[in-house]
Amino acid sequence: MPAGPYDVAVVGAGVVGAAVARELSRYELRLAILEAADDVGTGTSKANTAIWHTGFDADPGSLEAALLRRSHPLLERYAHEAGIPIEKTGALVVAWDDDQLARLSDIEERARANGYLRTRRLSPDEVARREPHLGPGVRGAVEVPDEGIVCPFTTPLAFATEAIANGASLFLRAPVTAARREGGFHVLGTPRGELAAAWVVNAAGLRADEVDRLFGHETFTIRPRRGELVVFDKLARRLLSHVILPVPNERTKGVLVAPTVFGNVLLGPTAEDVEDKTATATTAPGIARLLEAGRRILPALLREEITATYAGLRAATEVRDYRIDVYPEERYACVAGIRSTGLSASMGIAEHVRELLVDAGLTLRAKASARPVRMPPIGESARRPYEDEAAIAADPDHGRIVCHCERVSRAEILAACRGPIPARSLDGLRRRTRALLGRCQGFSCADEVTRLLADATGVPPAVLVGLAEPPRPGPLGGSA
Amino acid sequence: MRRRSVDVLVVGAGPSGLAAAAAARRIGAGEVLVVERDREPGGVPRHTHHTGFGLRDLRRLLSGPRYARAWLARAERAGAEVLTETSATGWCGPTSIRVTRPDGLWEIEAGAVVLAQGCRERPRPARLVPGDRPAGVFTTGSLQRAVFLAGLPVGRRAVIVGAEHVSFSALLTLRHAGARAVAIVTEHERDQTVLALRLATAARMRVPILTRARVSRIVGSRRVEAVEVADLDGGEPTTIPCDSVIFTGDWIPDHELARLGGLTIDPGTRGPRIDDAGRTSRPGVFAVGNLVHAAEAADVASRCASAAASAVRRYLAGEGWPSPVPVQVEPPLRWISPNAISPGASGVPHGTFLLRAERFAGPGTLEVRQGERRLREVRIGRLVPNRSLRLADDWIRTTDPDAGPVLVRFRAS
């Protein structure tokens, strides 16, 4: 017997799938979320530039442009309600030569075409006053005051947590590998057994094309585009206050420098087409290219220590736009090709998908009380527990800093091991608390953090450190 | 936020911090408080279980944890107070530190602050080693803490990156944990430890030392499966199957608090610039130990720290804060510590400056100059990277406080 039946199954708990699930969870629906990985937000969602885009530079007339624009204020409001780290830093599109200077007008025009009217031209002097550490040779810039940065880890977790609070079932380690129709339902096959749902939303990210084919479609292919990134030490944070964007040309979008919500500075990304959907290794040439670009943009950055390097894959397709299609007869929606702007556009995409589903015949009745969530304050713009007298008074474990570089308290780590979507891995703990993400990379705390996680979750240490396989998860009908 | 005033606040309860605290108490510097962020005092030796500690300062040969306990006992016997689980998170004033503790937030106002936070090894990302990002990547510090403090599994086959003293310490830790080191990889043309240590470890355990080599890629999905090792002289890269990689040495001081406080940082050591008595650029703030020479053996670090105590006491008694001349080095020298000399200085701790080189060189001469004036010239056998060379301080009385920086350079002969 398949689990369910559910009214809607969302395939994929990246930021897009989680946003769609959250949106639908506000209505009277039986809702399931199927995720291939062992956590929410582990694919493209966790390894990107974490920029909160306005969409000023999207292709005018594209669905991407429309949904970025729609999403921007939604995400701002939601982030403040839910405690997702977000900062409206503003961005400067900086021109470094005549050719780029000439292109600034195109950028302004494109912003206007996208309905974004708040750009402003800055002279080299104004740029220097705003960003005194930029390298020599700045010819001018376009300021985009509403661009910002947002936490790529907390955002999908908040969406999924709210969906669960509203009654959705989340199934992890449940990749969808088969699909058939039976008695008016889709029956989705996973290694954990089958699940039946009336409607399916495919938000499988890098695997969206494979899932699409399970439904008999052959319309697009995901071509992963790898982006490598370098994260610099927090001591570099004072070197800039805006997101510094490059002027794109026909060949490349270029390399940006941005603050992060954890108080670091990020440099990247590269853009390289790869075949393998798991090719998230960093490369020597990729990192070297980034450092070369960074040396020009912000020379002092290169004197600081590097805290992390990573690579993510963008889910690009044959076309330069999102591919969001609903097939009413099939009761199937495909939300694919979200490329590199999914974090920013997620809430706009979710509303758009909900509207398409209603148009296609899904009946929605709003819940009397949809529950808001409040995520732990892990961003630098909020008061962190280690500096919060009341939090420490309420729980002295907030005064016990375990991860010193990121100032993560013992209480925060223990809290992340509980709750509706508990951390079950060191990576999961990193994304929920910042523990181990700092400059020492565990020199001073990996032992204690691992021990705390093992003791609090019951996951054996050998599993946490990858020396033993985790036990097979139970069937879908059972617990998540 | 609650407040507390002390005469001397020491940040960090490793050997240097405890030694500085003990010495400050003994010579009557008043109330001395040591704050330590870890759960136990003792610093790095606490999780370095092999022997070899204490010879130069305590005149005995001890294991790391016993050595750490011995220093704690000394500091406490001298009357210093040691608070653990107490993290210094920032400055509230020139000599005032904000801390987080389980009992709340405190501002600790001190007559003098002694920074003694030590150092850490550069982790894999800071060394720009590309590839996958699986579990099983350690530093010696995280390895030793995993083995000795948490009893965590560390794998069966490890590759050690680095061939300096601490790399061989990692080797001993692996053996204790039942893991085998399959290779030691160093970019230099030789290891950088002493013969006795190498013979007692790598040679006895038959671990090959791959010189002029670099780990160029890490491979593995959940756990490390192999490393690719590049030959720096152009040979074919080789792949070594393993389940752990230990990045050793390549030290960087834990200088965050110093930098947040705006202290002048020495470009060589990357710790606070200090003069002959451990004075930083800010009146009332001293820095000692591996924060200012990363990394020396614990007993060297503690001896230098003890020496700063008398300057702390003199400052508390009203002595002024001098303007020193900087002491600089040029390649192939990487750093010198102390790296400034205050007017009227008669010597540095134990009569020697510590010098580090970035590569093997020698024989040759070390030349100390101030402007056109040559202050000293010493013949030396060789420079070994990652190992300190000592330079006698017998020339420092001849420095001129108004003649600009002192330069120490190496000339091959």
Side-chain angles (χ1 to χ4, degrees):
Chain A
M1 269 291 282
Y6 291 89
D7 295 313
V8 182
V10 177
V11 180
V15 73
V16 173
V20 171
R22 175 201 158 269
E23 178 67 30
L24 296 178
S25 77
R26 297 157 69 223
Y27 300 88
E28 296 290 350
L29 288 175
R30 295 202 50 191
L31 188 61
I33 312 164
L34 295 161
E35 167 56 46
D38 63 355
D39 200 358
V40 168
T42 60
T44 304
S45 303
K46 77 168 181 189
N48 50 64
T49 57
I51 306 290
W52 170 36
H53 298 284
T54 57
F56 78 97
D57 61 346
D59 289 341
S62 65
L63 184 59
E64 182 177 27
L67 295 183
L68 277 169
R69 187 176 165 198
R70 181 172 183 178
S71 199
H72 188 270
L74 296 176
L75 186 58
E76 178 169 29
R77 195 168 60 237
Y78 184 72
H80 288 299
E81 281 168 16
I84 296 169
I86 192 165
E87 293 178 42
K88 195 180 277 186
T89 57
L92 304 182
V93 187
V94 177
W96 300 87
D97 58 35
D98 286 341
D99 178 50
Q100 292 178 0
L101 189 62
R103 284 169 182 269
L104 290 184
S105 316
D106 301 345
I107 288 170
E108 290 166 316
E109 201 172 302
R110 183 178 268 246
R112 274 193 299 278
N114 282 322
Y116 184 79
L117 305 175
R118 281 161 47 83
T119 61
R120 203 166 77 81
R121 186 66 80 96
L122 301 183
S123 70
D125 283 350
E126 286 173 290
V127 175
R129 269 198 298 280
R130 304 266 197 111
E131 294 288 357
H133 298 285
L134 289 187
V138 172
R139 304 292 309 278
V142 171
E143 182 196 9
V144 191
D146 298 293
E147 293 270 302
I149 54 179
V150 61
C151 180
F153 303 151
T154 313
T155 307
L157 275 168
F159 293 155
T161 302
E162 183 174 336
I164 290 172
N166 289 337
S169 303
L170 170 66
F171 300 101
L172 300 173
R173 298 172 68 195
V176 173
T177 51
R180 60 189 164 83
R181 295 300 300 251
E182 193 177 296
F185 288 99
H186 294 283
V187 178
L188 305 177
T190 82
R192 296 179 58 185
E194 292 183 329
L195 182 143
W199 292 76
V200 171
V201 178
N202 169 10
L206 289 162
R207 306 265 177 206
D209 55 345
E210 295 162 41
V211 171
D212 201 42
R213 286 192 183 103
L214 298 178
F215 288 84
H217 298 274
E218 189 79 50
T219 49
F220 66 94
T221 304
I222 300 285
R223 304 216 166 121
R225 187 168 304 147
R226 176 160 61 192
E228 297 181 51
L229 296 114
V230 178
V231 180
F232 284 86
D233 194 283
K234 291 182 171 47
L235 291 162
R237 178 65 181 84
R238 63 179 178 85
L239 295 174
L240 85 168
S241 44
H242 302 77
V243 174
I244 306 298
L245 297 171
V247 176
N249 61 27
E250 282 82 14
R251 284 176 292 110
T252 161
K253 261 190 118 175
V255 172
L256 62 85
V257 182
T260 78
V261 292
F262 299 160
N264 296 79
V265 174
L266 183 142
L267 170 67
T270 57
E272 178 194 1
D273 291 322
V274 293
E275 295 296 318
D276 182 357
K277 290 176 176 175
T278 63
T280 56
T282 55
T283 66
I287 293 172
R289 234 181 353 260
L290 291 179
L291 296 183
E292 191 49 47
R295 186 168 287 118
R296 169 149 195 208
I297 301 167
L298 198 64
L301 188 60
L302 278 287
R303 291 197 285 275
E304 298 295 344
E305 292 290 314
I306 287 169
T307 296
T309 60
Y310 62 94
L313 300 175
R314 311 167 182 90
T317 65
E318 294 87 346
V319 295
R320 276 170 60 97
D321 199 359
Y322 296 171
R323 306 198 57 129
I324 301 181
D325 299 298
V326 175
Y327 303 88
E329 298 77 34
E330 299 171 35
R331 298 185 162 190
Y332 167 69
C334 181
V335 186
I338 309 298
R339 307 199 302 159
S340 57
T341 46
L343 180 59
S344 300
S346 54
M347 296 191 76
I349 293 171
E351 284 193 354
H352 180 66
V353 169
R354 189 242 304 146
E355 289 163 359
L356 292 178
L357 288 172
V358 169
D359 290 348
L362 177 67
T363 311
L364 292 182
R365 198 154 44 82
K367 277 183 179 149
S369 64
R371 284 207 228 153
V373 293
R374 190 75 198 168
M375 302 302 285
I378 64 170
E380 286 300 291
S381 58
R383 182 188 292 270
R384 303 271 315 281
Y386 81 88
E387 54 189 353
D388 184 342
E389 195 101 57
I392 299 171
D395 182 352
D397 273 352
H398 274 309
R400 294 195 166 88
I401 297 180
V402 174
C403 166
H404 303 288
C405 303
E406 299 297 311
R407 297 182 178 170
V408 183
S409 71
R410 183 182 156 89
E412 288 174 281
I413 289 173
L414 293 176
C417 300
R418 298 187 298 261
I421 316 176
R424 303 278 296 169
S425 65
L426 287 166
D427 276 338
L429 189 66
R430 286 181 175 99
R431 289 191 294 272
R432 284 164 181 78
T433 64
R434 291 166 56 171
L436 302 174
L437 284 178
R439 57 170 69 92
C440 92
Q441 294 281 303
F443 178 91
S444 308
C445 73
D447 58 314
E448 192 172 349
V449 170
T450 308
R451 203 23 96 190
L452 278 175
L453 179 63
D455 292 348
T457 59
V459 179
V463 172
L464 293 178
V465 300
L467 286 168
E469 290 300 317
R472 287 165 61 90
L476 292 181
S479 75
Chain B
M1 185 146 53
R2 282 174 286 178
R3 285 196 166 68
R4 177 168 173 190
S5 286
V6 294
D7 295 302
V8 182
L9 173 65
V10 180
V11 184
S16 306
L18 293 171
R25 278 295 303 167
R26 276 199 307 270
I27 61 174
E31 189 183 356
V32 178
L33 175 66
V34 187
V35 293
E36 167 58 48
R37 66 188 193 177
D38 215 337
R39 281 194 295 183
E40 304 282 341
V44 165
R46 192 162 79 83
H47 52 77
T48 312
H49 274 227
H50 54 72
T51 187
F53 290 86
L55 211 51
R56 277 170 287 206
D57 52 358
L58 303 180
R59 311 273 171 214
R60 310 176 255 167
L61 202 55
L62 298 171
S63 73
R66 295 193 57 168
Y67 174 80
R69 282 196 295 276
W71 266 117
L72 176 65
R74 283 192 165 206
E76 290 186 332
R77 235 178 10 247
E81 183 186 356
V82 181
L83 291 178
T84 54
E85 293 188 317
T86 303
S87 299
T89 58
W91 300 81
C92 308
T95 55
S96 177
I97 299 273
R98 190 169 56 238
V99 304
T100 290
R101 288 177 40 76
D103 67 358
L105 305 179
W106 289 81
E107 178 183 338
I108 302 176
E109 169 73 48
V113 173
V114 181
L115 300 178
Q117 292 114 314
C119 59
R120 62 179 190 273
E121 294 161 294
R122 273 202 180 79
R124 178 241 177 136
R127 304 184 195 213
L128 299 177
V129 177
D132 299 322
R133 290 174 302 288
V137 178
F138 295 87
T139 48
T140 315
S142 68
L143 175 78
Q144 293 182 333
R145 293 182 69 109
V147 170
F148 294 118
L149 299 187
L152 297 170
V154 295
R156 316 279 312 165
R157 286 170 60 89
V159 166
I160 294 178
V161 179
E164 53 183 288
H165 291 332
V166 67
S167 321
F168 297 88
S169 170
L171 197 53
L172 293 170
T173 304
L174 286 169
R175 186 173 65 175
H176 179 95
R180 198 156 73 83
V182 292
I184 293 173
V185 181
T186 175
E187 299 188 11
H188 295 289
E189 53 265 43
R190 290 191 289 281
D191 69 85
Q192 305 106 55
T193 190
V194 291
L195 183 65
L197 183 54
R198 197 187 67 220
L199 289 178
T201 54
R204 228 175 77 198
M205 296 179 216
R206 298 174 200 283
V207 185
I209 300 179
L210 311 180
T211 56
R212 297 283 301 149
R214 176 192 293 144
V215 170
S216 50
R217 195 155 68 94
I218 291 177
V219 181
S221 52
R222 289 189 67 225
R223 181 78 186 189
V224 173
E225 291 158 25
V227 294
E228 183 189 86
V229 177
D231 176 351
L232 296 181
D233 295 321
E236 286 295 304
T238 51
T239 297
I240 304 176
C242 59
D243 57 18
S244 299
V245 191
I246 324 295
F247 287 92
T248 68
D250 196 359
W251 302 95
I252 174 144
D254 271 324
H255 61 196
E256 184 191 21
L257 195 62
R259 290 190 59 189
L260 289 177
L263 305 187
T264 301
I265 299 296
D266 180 73
T269 64
R270 307 201 63 182
R273 188 201 71 196
I274 52 155
D275 77 352
D276 42 277
R279 299 179 191 97
T280 68
S281 58
R282 178 186 291 173
V285 180
F286 296 78
V288 298
N290 282 339
L291 175 63
V292 295
H293 44 64
E296 278 296 331
D299 52 3
V300 174
S302 77
R303 288 205 309 172
C304 296
S306 310
S310 72
V312 170
R313 187 183 51 83
R314 292 199 308 276
Y315 171 76
L316 292 175
E319 187 182 80
W321 200 259
S323 300
V325 294
V327 183
Q328 298 162 348
V329 293
E330 63 180 36
L333 298 175
R334 249 179 70 203
W335 56 251
I336 185 166
S337 182
N339 27 52
I341 298 169
S342 286
S346 55
V348 300
H350 302 280
T352 56
F353 288 85
L354 301 168
L355 274 163
R356 284 284 167 97
E358 59 193 19
R359 57 177 167 83
F360 281 98
T365 50
L366 280 180
E367 184 192 48
V368 184
R369 300 186 72 89
Q370 189 176 29
E372 292 304 301
R373 211 153 53 88
R374 182 189 292 167
L375 307 184
R376 190 81 168 87
E377 198 173 66
V378 222
R379 292 198 55 77
I380 54 163
R382 64 172 185 163
L383 297 175
V384 180
N386 301 319
R387 212 161 90 196
S388 281
L389 180 75
R390 287 173 170 67
L391 170 66
D393 66 354
D394 47 10
W395 48 271
I396 74 168
R397 285 167 194 275
T398 63
T399 52
D400 177 348
D402 303 313
V406 171
L407 179 66
V408 180
R409 60 186 178 187
F410 171 79
R411 288 261 172 81
S413 54

